[in-house]
Coordinates of all heavy atoms in Angstrom, one line a residue:
M288 N 102.8 105.2 102.6 CA 101.7 104.2 102.5 C 101.6 103.8 101.0 O 101.6 104.6 100.1 CB 100.4 104.9 102.9 CG 99.2 103.9 103.1 SD 99.2 102.8 104.5 CE 99.2 104.0 105.9
A289 N 101.5 102.5 100.8 CA 101.4 101.9 99.5 C 100.2 101.0 99.5 O 99.7 100.6 100.5 CB 102.7 101.2 99.1
Y290 N 99.9 100.5 98.3 CA 98.7 99.6 98.1 C 99.3 98.2 97.7 O 100.2 98.1 96.9 CB 97.8 100.1 96.9 CG 97.2 101.4 97.2 CD1 97.7 102.6 96.8 CD2 96.0 101.5 97.9 CE1 97.1 103.8 97.0 CE2 95.3 102.7 98.2 CZ 95.9 103.9 97.8 OH 95.3 105.0 98.0
Y291 N 98.6 97.2 98.3 CA 99.0 95.8 98.0 C 97.8 95.0 97.7 O 96.9 95.0 98.4 CB 99.8 95.3 99.2 CG 101.0 96.0 99.5 CD1 101.0 97.1 100.4 CD2 102.2 95.7 98.9 CE1 102.2 97.8 100.6 CE2 103.4 96.4 99.2 CZ 103.4 97.5 100.0 OH 104.5 98.2 100.2
A292 N 97.9 94.3 96.5 CA 96.7 93.5 96.1 C 96.9 92.1 96.6 O 97.9 91.4 96.2 CB 96.6 93.5 94.6
A293 N 96.0 91.6 97.4 CA 96.0 90.2 97.9 C 95.0 89.5 97.1 O 93.8 89.7 97.2 CB 95.7 90.2 99.4
I294 N 95.4 88.7 96.1 CA 94.5 87.8 95.3 C 94.4 86.5 96.1 O 95.3 85.9 96.5 CB 95.1 87.6 93.9 CG1 95.3 89.0 93.3 CG2 94.2 86.7 93.1 CD1 96.2 88.9 92.0
L295 N 93.1 86.2 96.4 CA 92.8 85.1 97.2 C 92.1 84.0 96.4 O 90.9 84.0 96.2 CB 91.9 85.5 98.4 CG 92.5 86.6 99.3 CD1 91.4 87.1 100.3 CD2 93.7 86.1 100.0
H296 N 92.9 83.1 95.8 CA 92.5 82.0 95.0 C 91.7 81.0 95.8 O 92.2 80.6 96.9 CB 93.7 81.4 94.3 CG 94.5 82.3 93.5 ND1 94.1 82.6 92.2 CD2 95.7 82.9 93.7 CE1 95.1 83.5 91.7 NE2 96.0 83.7 92.6
M297 N 90.6 80.6 95.3 CA 89.8 79.5 96.0 C 90.6 78.2 96.1 O 91.1 77.7 95.1 CB 88.5 79.3 95.3 CG 87.6 78.3 96.0 SD 86.9 79.0 97.6 CE 85.8 80.2 96.9
A298 N 90.8 77.7 97.3 CA 91.6 76.5 97.5 C 90.7 75.4 98.0 O 90.9 74.2 97.8 CB 92.7 76.7 98.4
D299 N 89.6 75.8 98.8 CA 88.8 74.7 99.4 C 87.3 75.3 99.5 O 87.0 75.9 100.5 CB 89.3 74.4 100.8 CG 88.6 73.2 101.4 OD1 87.4 72.9 101.0 OD2 89.2 72.5 102.2
A300 N 86.6 75.1 98.5 CA 85.2 75.7 98.4 C 84.3 75.2 99.5 O 83.4 75.9 99.9 CB 84.6 75.4 97.0
E301 N 84.6 74.0 100.0 CA 83.7 73.4 101.1 C 83.9 74.2 102.3 O 82.9 74.4 103.1 CB 84.1 71.9 101.3 CG 83.6 71.0 100.2 CD 83.9 69.6 100.5 OE1 84.0 69.2 101.7 OE2 84.0 68.8 99.5
K302 N 85.1 74.7 102.6 CA 85.3 75.5 103.8 C 84.9 76.9 103.7 O 84.8 77.6 104.7 CB 86.8 75.4 104.2 CG 87.4 74.1 104.7 CD 88.8 74.4 105.1 CE 89.5 73.2 105.8 NZ 90.9 73.5 106.1
N303 N 84.7 77.4 102.5 CA 84.4 78.8 102.2 C 83.3 79.4 103.1 O 83.5 80.4 103.7 CB 84.2 79.0 100.7 CG 84.2 80.5 100.4 OD1 85.3 81.1 100.4 ND2 83.1 81.0 100.0
L304 N 82.2 78.7 103.1 CA 81.0 79.2 103.8 C 81.2 79.2 105.3 O 80.8 80.1 106.0 CB 79.7 78.5 103.5 CG 79.2 78.7 102.1 CD1 77.9 77.9 101.8 CD2 78.8 80.2 101.9
T305 N 81.9 78.2 105.8 CA 82.2 78.1 107.2 C 83.1 79.2 107.7 O 82.8 79.8 108.8 CB 83.0 76.7 107.5 OG1 82.2 75.6 107.1 CG2 83.4 76.6 109.0
F306 N 84.1 79.6 107.0 CA 85.0 80.7 107.4 C 84.6 82.1 106.9 O 85.3 83.1 107.3 CB 86.4 80.3 107.1 CG 86.9 79.2 107.9 CD1 86.9 77.9 107.4 CD2 87.3 79.4 109.2 CE1 87.3 76.8 108.2 CE2 87.7 78.3 110.0 CZ 87.7 77.0 109.5
R307 N 83.6 82.2 106.1 CA 83.2 83.5 105.5 C 82.9 84.5 106.6 O 83.5 85.7 106.5 CB 82.1 83.4 104.6 CG 81.6 84.7 103.9 CD 80.6 84.4 102.9 NE 80.0 85.7 102.4 CZ 80.6 86.5 101.5 NH1 81.9 86.2 101.1 NH2 80.1 87.6 101.1
P308 N 82.2 84.2 107.7 CA 81.9 85.2 108.7 C 83.2 85.7 109.4 O 83.3 86.9 109.7 CB 81.0 84.5 109.7 CG 80.4 83.4 108.9 CD 81.4 83.0 107.9
H309 N 84.1 84.8 109.6 CA 85.4 85.2 110.2 C 86.2 86.1 109.3 O 86.8 87.0 109.8 CB 86.2 83.9 110.6 CG 85.4 83.0 111.5 ND1 85.1 83.2 112.8 CD2 84.8 81.8 111.1 CE1 84.4 82.2 113.3 NE2 84.2 81.3 112.3
H310 N 86.2 85.7 108.1 CA 86.9 86.5 107.0 C 86.4 87.9 107.0 O 87.1 88.9 107.0 CB 86.8 85.8 105.7 CG 87.1 86.6 104.5 ND1 88.4 87.0 104.1 CD2 86.3 87.2 103.5 CE1 88.4 87.7 103.0 NE2 87.1 87.8 102.7
L311 N 85.1 88.0 106.9 CA 84.4 89.4 106.8 C 84.6 90.2 108.1 O 84.9 91.4 108.0 CB 82.9 89.2 106.5 CG 82.6 88.6 105.1 CD1 81.1 88.4 105.0 CD2 83.2 89.5 104.0
A312 N 84.6 89.6 109.2 CA 84.8 90.3 110.5 C 86.2 90.8 110.6 O 86.5 91.9 111.0 CB 84.5 89.4 111.7
Y313 N 87.2 90.0 110.1 CA 88.6 90.4 110.1 C 88.8 91.6 109.2 O 89.4 92.6 109.6 CB 89.5 89.2 109.6 CG 90.9 89.6 109.5 CD1 91.7 89.8 110.7 CD2 91.6 89.7 108.3 CE1 93.0 90.2 110.6 CE2 92.9 90.0 108.2 CZ 93.6 90.3 109.4 OH 94.9 90.6 109.3
L314 N 88.2 91.6 108.0 CA 88.3 92.7 107.1 C 87.6 93.9 107.6 O 88.1 95.1 107.4 CB 87.8 92.3 105.7 CG 88.6 91.2 104.9 CD1 88.0 91.0 103.6 CD2 90.1 91.6 104.9
E315 N 86.5 93.8 108.3 CA 85.8 94.9 108.9 C 86.7 95.6 109.9 O 86.8 96.8 110.0 CB 84.5 94.5 109.5 CG 83.7 95.6 110.2 CD 83.3 96.7 109.3 OE1 83.0 96.5 108.1 OE2 83.2 97.8 109.8
E316 N 87.3 94.8 110.7 CA 88.3 95.3 111.8 C 89.4 96.1 111.1 O 89.7 97.2 111.5 CB 88.8 94.2 112.6 CG 89.8 94.6 113.6 CD 90.4 93.4 114.4 OE1 89.6 92.4 114.6 OE2 91.6 93.4 114.6
L317 N 89.9 95.6 110.0 CA 91.0 96.3 109.3 C 90.5 97.5 108.6 O 91.2 98.5 108.5 CB 91.7 95.4 108.3 CG 92.5 94.2 108.9 CD1 93.2 93.4 107.8 CD2 93.6 94.8 109.9
E318 N 89.3 97.5 108.1 CA 88.7 98.7 107.5 C 88.6 99.8 108.5 O 88.9 101.0 108.2 CB 87.3 98.4 106.9 CG 87.4 97.8 105.5 CD 86.0 97.6 104.9 OE1 85.1 97.0 105.6 OE2 85.8 98.1 103.8
Q319 N 88.2 99.5 109.7 CA 88.1 100.5 110.8 C 89.4 101.1 111.1 O 89.5 102.2 111.6 CB 87.4 99.9 112.0 CG 85.9 99.6 111.8 CD 85.3 98.9 112.9 OE1 85.9 98.7 114.0 NE2 84.0 98.4 112.7
Q320 N 90.5 100.3 110.9 CA 91.9 100.8 111.2 C 92.4 101.6 110.0 O 93.6 102.0 110.0 CB 92.8 99.6 111.5 CG 92.4 98.9 112.8 CD 93.2 97.7 113.0 OE1 94.4 97.6 112.5 NE2 92.7 96.7 113.7
G321 N 91.7 101.6 108.9 CA 92.2 102.3 107.7 C 93.2 101.5 106.9 O 94.0 102.1 106.2
K322 N 93.1 100.2 107.0 CA 94.1 99.3 106.3 C 93.6 98.7 105.0 O 94.3 98.0 104.3 CB 94.5 98.2 107.2 CG 95.3 98.7 108.4 CD 96.6 99.2 108.1 CE 97.5 99.6 109.3 NZ 98.8 100.1 108.9
I323 N 92.3 98.9 104.7 CA 91.7 98.3 103.5 C 91.2 99.4 102.5 O 90.5 100.4 102.9 CB 90.4 97.5 103.9 CG1 90.8 96.4 104.9 CG2 89.7 96.9 102.6 CD1 91.5 95.2 104.3
F324 N 91.7 99.3 101.3 CA 91.3 100.3 100.2 C 90.0 99.8 99.5 O 89.1 100.5 99.2 CB 92.4 100.5 99.2 CG 92.0 101.4 98.1 CD1 91.9 102.7 98.2 CD2 91.8 100.8 96.8 CE1 91.5 103.5 97.1 CE2 91.5 101.6 95.7 CZ 91.3 102.9 95.9
A325 N 90.0 98.5 99.2 CA 88.9 97.9 98.5 C 88.9 96.4 98.7 O 90.0 95.8 99.1 CB 89.0 98.1 97.0
K326 N 87.7 95.7 98.5 CA 87.7 94.3 98.7 C 86.5 93.7 98.0 O 85.5 94.5 97.7 CB 87.6 93.9 100.2 CG 86.3 94.4 100.8 CD 86.3 94.1 102.3 CE 85.1 94.3 103.1 NZ 84.2 95.4 102.7
G327 N 86.5 92.4 97.6 CA 85.4 91.8 97.0 C 85.7 90.5 96.3 O 86.8 90.2 96.0
P328 N 84.6 89.7 96.1 CA 84.8 88.4 95.4 C 84.9 88.6 93.9 O 84.4 89.6 93.4 CB 83.6 87.7 95.8 CG 82.5 88.7 96.0 CD 83.3 89.9 96.5
F329 N 85.5 87.6 93.2 CA 85.4 87.6 91.8 C 84.1 87.0 91.4 O 83.5 86.1 92.0 CB 86.6 86.7 91.2 CG 87.9 87.2 91.5 CD1 88.9 86.4 92.0 CD2 88.2 88.6 91.4 CE1 90.2 86.9 92.2 CE2 89.5 89.1 91.7 CZ 90.5 88.2 92.1
A330 N 83.5 87.5 90.3 CA 82.2 87.1 89.9 C 82.1 85.7 89.4 O 81.0 85.0 89.5 CB 81.7 88.0 88.7
D331 N 83.2 85.1 89.1 CA 83.2 83.7 88.6 C 83.4 82.7 89.7 O 83.4 81.5 89.5 CB 84.3 83.5 87.5 CG 85.7 83.6 88.0 OD1 85.9 83.9 89.2 OD2 86.6 83.5 87.2
G332 N 83.5 83.2 91.0 CA 83.6 82.3 92.1 C 85.0 81.7 92.4 O 85.2 80.8 93.2
S333 N 86.0 82.2 91.6 CA 87.3 81.6 91.7 C 88.1 82.2 92.9 O 89.3 81.8 93.1 CB 88.1 81.9 90.4 OG 88.3 83.2 90.2
G334 N 87.5 83.1 93.7 CA 88.2 83.7 94.8 C 87.8 85.2 94.9 O 86.7 85.5 94.7
G335 N 88.8 86.0 95.3 CA 88.5 87.4 95.5 C 89.8 88.2 95.7 O 90.9 87.6 95.5
M336 N 89.6 89.5 96.0 CA 90.8 90.3 96.1 C 90.6 91.3 97.2 O 89.5 91.8 97.4 CB 91.1 91.1 94.8 CG 92.4 91.9 94.9 SD 92.9 92.4 93.2 CE 91.5 93.5 92.7
V337 N 91.6 91.6 98.0 CA 91.6 92.7 99.0 C 92.8 93.6 98.6 O 93.9 93.1 98.4 CB 91.8 92.1 100.4 CG1 91.9 93.2 101.4 CG2 90.8 91.1 100.7
I338 N 92.6 94.9 98.6 CA 93.6 95.9 98.4 C 93.9 96.4 99.8 O 93.1 97.2 100.4 CB 93.2 97.0 97.5 CG1 92.8 96.4 96.1 CG2 94.4 98.0 97.3 CD1 93.8 95.8 95.3
Y339 N 95.1 96.1 100.3 CA 95.6 96.6 101.6 C 96.3 97.9 101.4 O 97.0 98.1 100.4 CB 96.5 95.6 102.3 CG 95.8 94.3 102.7 CD1 95.9 93.2 102.0 CD2 95.1 94.3 103.9 CE1 95.3 92.0 102.4 CE2 94.5 93.1 104.4 CZ 94.6 92.0 103.6 OH 94.0 90.9 104.0
M340 N 96.3 98.8 102.4 CA 97.1 100.0 102.5 C 98.1 99.7 103.7 O 97.7 99.5 104.8 CB 96.3 101.2 102.8 CG 95.3 101.5 101.6 SD 94.3 103.0 101.9 CE 93.3 102.5 103.3
A341 N 99.4 99.7 103.3 CA 100.4 99.4 104.3 C 101.7 100.1 104.0 O 101.9 100.6 102.9 CB 100.7 97.9 104.3
D342 N 102.6 100.2 105.0 CA 103.8 100.9 104.9 C 104.9 100.0 104.2 O 105.9 100.6 103.7 CB 104.4 101.3 106.2 CG 103.5 102.4 106.9 OD1 103.0 103.3 106.1 OD2 103.3 102.4 108.1
S343 N 104.7 98.7 104.1 CA 105.7 97.9 103.4 C 105.0 96.6 103.0 O 103.9 96.2 103.4 CB 106.8 97.5 104.4 OG 106.3 96.7 105.5
L344 N 105.7 95.9 102.1 CA 105.2 94.5 101.7 C 105.1 93.6 102.9 O 104.2 92.8 103.0 CB 106.2 94.0 100.6 CG 105.8 92.6 100.1 CD1 104.5 92.6 99.4 CD2 106.9 92.1 99.1
E345 N 106.1 93.7 103.8 CA 106.1 92.8 105.0 C 104.8 93.1 105.8 O 104.2 92.1 106.3 CB 107.4 93.1 105.8 CG 108.6 92.6 105.1 CD 109.1 93.6 104.0 OE1 108.8 94.8 104.0 OE2 109.9 93.1 103.2
E346 N 104.5 94.3 106.0 CA 103.3 94.6 106.8 C 102.0 94.1 106.1 O 101.1 93.5 106.7 CB 103.1 96.1 107.0 CG 101.8 96.5 107.8 CD 101.5 98.0 107.9 OE1 102.3 98.8 107.3 OE2 100.5 98.3 108.5
A347 N 102.0 94.3 104.8 CA 100.8 93.8 104.0 C 100.7 92.3 104.1 O 99.7 91.7 104.2 CB 100.9 94.3 102.5
R348 N 101.9 91.6 104.0 CA 101.9 90.1 104.1 C 101.4 89.7 105.4 O 100.6 88.7 105.5 CB 103.3 89.6 103.8 CG 103.3 88.1 103.8 CD 104.6 87.5 103.3 NE 105.1 88.0 102.0 CZ 104.6 87.7 100.8 NH1 103.6 86.8 100.7 NH2 105.1 88.2 99.7
E349 N 101.8 90.4 106.5 CA 101.3 90.0 107.8 C 99.8 90.1 107.9 O 99.2 89.3 108.5 CB 102.0 90.9 108.9 CG 103.5 90.6 109.1 CD 104.1 91.5 110.1 OE1 103.4 92.2 110.9 OE2 105.4 91.6 110.1
L350 N 99.3 91.2 107.4 CA 97.8 91.4 107.4 C 97.1 90.4 106.6 O 96.2 89.8 107.1 CB 97.5 92.8 106.9 CG 98.0 94.0 107.7 CD1 97.7 95.3 106.9 CD2 97.3 94.1 109.0
A351 N 97.6 90.1 105.4 CA 97.0 89.1 104.5 C 97.1 87.7 105.1 O 96.1 86.9 105.0 CB 97.6 89.2 103.2
E352 N 98.2 87.4 105.7 CA 98.3 86.0 106.3 C 97.5 85.8 107.5 O 97.3 84.6 107.9 CB 99.8 85.7 106.5 CG 100.6 85.5 105.2 CD 102.1 85.3 105.4 OE1 102.6 85.5 106.5 OE2 102.7 84.9 104.4
Q353 N 97.0 86.8 108.2 CA 96.2 86.7 109.3 C 94.7 86.5 109.0 O 93.9 86.3 109.8 CB 96.4 87.9 110.3 CG 97.7 87.9 111.0 CD 98.0 86.6 111.7 OE1 97.2 86.1 112.5 NE2 99.1 85.9 111.4
D354 N 94.4 86.7 107.7 CA 93.0 86.5 107.2 C 92.6 85.1 107.5 O 93.3 84.2 107.1 CB 92.9 86.9 105.7 CG 91.5 86.8 105.2 OD1 90.7 86.0 105.6 OD2 91.3 87.5 104.2
P355 N 91.5 84.8 108.2 CA 91.1 83.5 108.4 C 91.0 82.6 107.2 O 91.3 81.4 107.2 CB 89.7 83.6 109.1 CG 89.8 85.0 109.7 CD 90.6 85.8 108.8
Y356 N 90.6 83.2 106.0 CA 90.6 82.4 104.8 C 92.0 81.8 104.5 O 92.1 80.7 104.0 CB 90.2 83.3 103.6 CG 88.7 83.3 103.3 CD1 88.2 84.2 102.4 CD2 87.8 82.4 104.0 CE1 86.8 84.2 102.1 CE2 86.4 82.5 103.7 CZ 86.0 83.3 102.7 OH 84.6 83.4 102.4
V357 N 93.0 82.6 104.7 CA 94.4 82.2 104.4 C 94.9 81.2 105.5 O 95.4 80.2 105.2 CB 95.3 83.4 104.3 CG1 96.8 82.9 104.1 CG2 94.9 84.3 103.1
K358 N 94.6 81.6 106.8 CA 95.1 80.8 107.9 C 94.5 79.4 107.9 O 95.1 78.4 108.2 CB 94.7 81.5 109.2 CG 95.6 82.6 109.5 CD 95.2 83.4 110.8 CE 95.4 82.5 112.0 NZ 95.2 83.3 113.3
E359 N 93.2 79.3 107.4 CA 92.5 78.0 107.5 C 92.6 77.2 106.1 O 92.0 76.2 106.0 CB 91.1 78.2 107.8 CG 90.9 78.8 109.2 CD 91.4 77.9 110.3 OE1 91.4 76.7 110.2 OE2 91.7 78.5 111.4
G360 N 93.4 77.7 105.2 CA 93.6 77.0 103.9 C 92.4 77.1 103.0 O 92.3 76.3 102.0
V361 N 91.5 78.0 103.2 CA 90.3 78.2 102.3 C 90.8 78.9 101.0 O 90.3 78.5 100.0 CB 89.2 79.1 103.0 CG1 88.1 79.3 102.1 CG2 88.8 78.5 104.3
R362 N 91.7 79.8 101.1 CA 92.2 80.5 100.0 C 93.7 80.5 99.9 O 94.3 80.5 101.0 CB 91.7 82.0 100.0 CG 90.2 82.2 100.1 CD 89.5 82.0 98.8 NE 88.0 82.2 99.0 CZ 87.4 83.3 98.7 NH1 88.0 84.4 98.3 NH2 86.0 83.3 98.8
R363 N 94.2 80.5 98.7 CA 95.7 80.6 98.5 C 96.0 82.1 98.2 O 95.4 82.7 97.3 CB 96.1 79.7 97.4 CG 97.6 79.7 97.1 CD 98.0 78.8 96.0 NE 97.3 79.1 94.7 CZ 97.6 80.0 93.8 NH1 98.6 80.8 94.1 NH2 96.9 80.1 92.7
L364 N 97.0 82.6 99.0 CA 97.3 84.0 98.9 C 98.4 84.2 97.8 O 99.4 83.5 97.7 CB 97.9 84.5 100.2 CG 98.5 85.9 100.3 CD1 97.4 86.9 100.0 CD2 99.2 86.1 101.6
E365 N 98.1 85.3 97.0 CA 99.1 85.8 96.0 C 99.1 87.3 96.3 O 98.1 88.0 96.2 CB 98.6 85.5 94.6 CG 99.6 86.1 93.5 CD 99.0 85.8 92.1 OE1 98.1 85.0 91.9 OE2 99.5 86.5 91.2
L366 N 100.3 87.9 96.6 CA 100.4 89.3 97.1 C 101.3 90.0 96.2 O 102.5 89.6 95.9 CB 100.8 89.3 98.5 CG 100.9 90.7 99.2 CD1 99.5 91.2 99.4 CD2 101.5 90.5 100.6
H367 N 100.9 91.2 95.8 CA 101.7 92.1 94.9 C 101.5 93.5 95.3 O 100.4 93.9 95.6 CB 101.3 92.0 93.4 CG 101.4 90.6 92.9 ND1 102.5 90.1 92.4 CD2 100.4 89.6 92.8 CE1 102.3 88.8 92.0 NE2 101.0 88.6 92.2
E368 N 102.6 94.3 95.2 CA 102.4 95.8 95.4 C 101.6 96.2 94.1 O 101.8 95.8 93.0 CB 103.7 96.5 95.5 CG 103.5 98.0 95.7 CD 104.8 98.8 96.0 OE1 105.9 98.2 96.1 OE2 104.7 100.0 96.2
W369 N 100.7 97.1 94.4 CA 99.8 97.6 93.3 C 100.0 99.1 93.1 O 99.8 99.9 94.0 CB 98.3 97.3 93.7 CG 97.3 97.7 92.7 CD1 97.2 97.4 91.4 CD2 96.1 98.5 92.9 NE1 96.1 97.9 90.8 CE2 95.4 98.6 91.7 CE3 95.6 99.1 94.1 CZ2 94.2 99.3 91.6 CZ3 94.4 99.8 93.9 CH2 93.7 99.9 92.7
K370 N 100.3 99.5 91.9 CA 100.5 100.9 91.5 C 99.2 101.4 90.9 O 99.0 101.1 89.7 CB 101.7 101.0 90.6 CG 103.0 100.6 91.1 CD 103.5 101.5 92.2 CE 104.9 101.1 92.6 NZ 105.4 101.9 93.7
M371 N 98.4 102.0 91.7 CA 97.1 102.4 91.2 C 97.3 103.5 90.2 O 98.0 104.5 90.4 CB 96.2 102.9 92.4 CG 94.9 103.4 91.9 SD 93.7 103.8 93.2 CE 94.7 104.8 94.3
A372 N 96.7 103.4 89.0 CA 96.7 104.4 87.9 C 95.5 105.3 88.1 O 94.4 104.8 88.2 CB 96.8 103.7 86.6
R373 N 95.8 106.6 88.1 CA 94.7 107.5 88.1 C 94.3 107.9 86.6 O 95.2 108.2 85.9 CB 95.1 108.8 88.9 CG 95.5 108.5 90.3 CD 94.3 108.6 91.2 NE 94.8 108.4 92.5 CZ 94.0 108.2 93.5 NH1 92.7 108.1 93.4 NH2 94.5 108.0 94.7
V374 N 93.0 107.9 86.3 CA 92.6 108.2 85.0 C 92.1 109.6 84.9 O 91.4 110.1 85.8 CB 91.5 107.2 84.5 CG1 91.2 107.5 83.1 CG2 92.0 105.8 84.7

């Protein structure tokens, strides 16, 4: 299991409120499956980030691309494997 950071850049602020409930419901479902490590919006309103837990980049990409925000063009996806540093 690895961590993958999905940076969700705001692409269409007008659609954001419309699809927010669908986005949150999707992430809640994945949280219940143990696929989400962390999530939240950026304070400046430019988007947000979801940290997925997945077995591969391909799995993480499938999860991220099924997010209603991504599917509906509300957010632009940028995905990277994340090596969490323990302090």
Side-chain angles (χ1 to χ4, degrees):
M288 190 74 61
Y290 296 95
Y291 297 89
I294 302 166
L295 301 171
H296 302 277
M297 186 66 71
D299 190 334
E301 289 183 25
K302 288 183 172 180
N303 193 65
L304 289 178
T305 300
F306 289 98
R307 183 173 172 73
H309 306 286
H310 164 74
L311 294 176
Y313 178 69
L314 294 184
E315 177 63 31
E316 180 183 318
L317 291 181
E318 278 185 307
Q319 292 175 8
Q320 296 174 25
K322 296 290 185 182
I323 303 287
F324 175 74
K326 65 185 186 330
F329 296 136
D331 65 2
S333 66
M336 185 168 63
V337 178
I338 306 292
Y339 291 99
M340 295 182 294
D342 291 324
S343 66
L344 178 61
E345 293 77 20
E346 179 188 3
R348 184 171 307 284
E349 287 176 20
L350 294 171
E352 288 178 346
Q353 290 304 308
D354 184 328
Y356 269 172
V357 176
K358 286 175 69 171
E359 299 297 333
V361 178
R362 305 282 178 96
R363 180 178 56 81
L364 174 65
E365 179 183 345
L366 185 66
H367 302 275
E368 185 170 359
W369 182 53
K370 299 290 186 184
M371 181 173 45
R373 302 270 183 192
V374 184

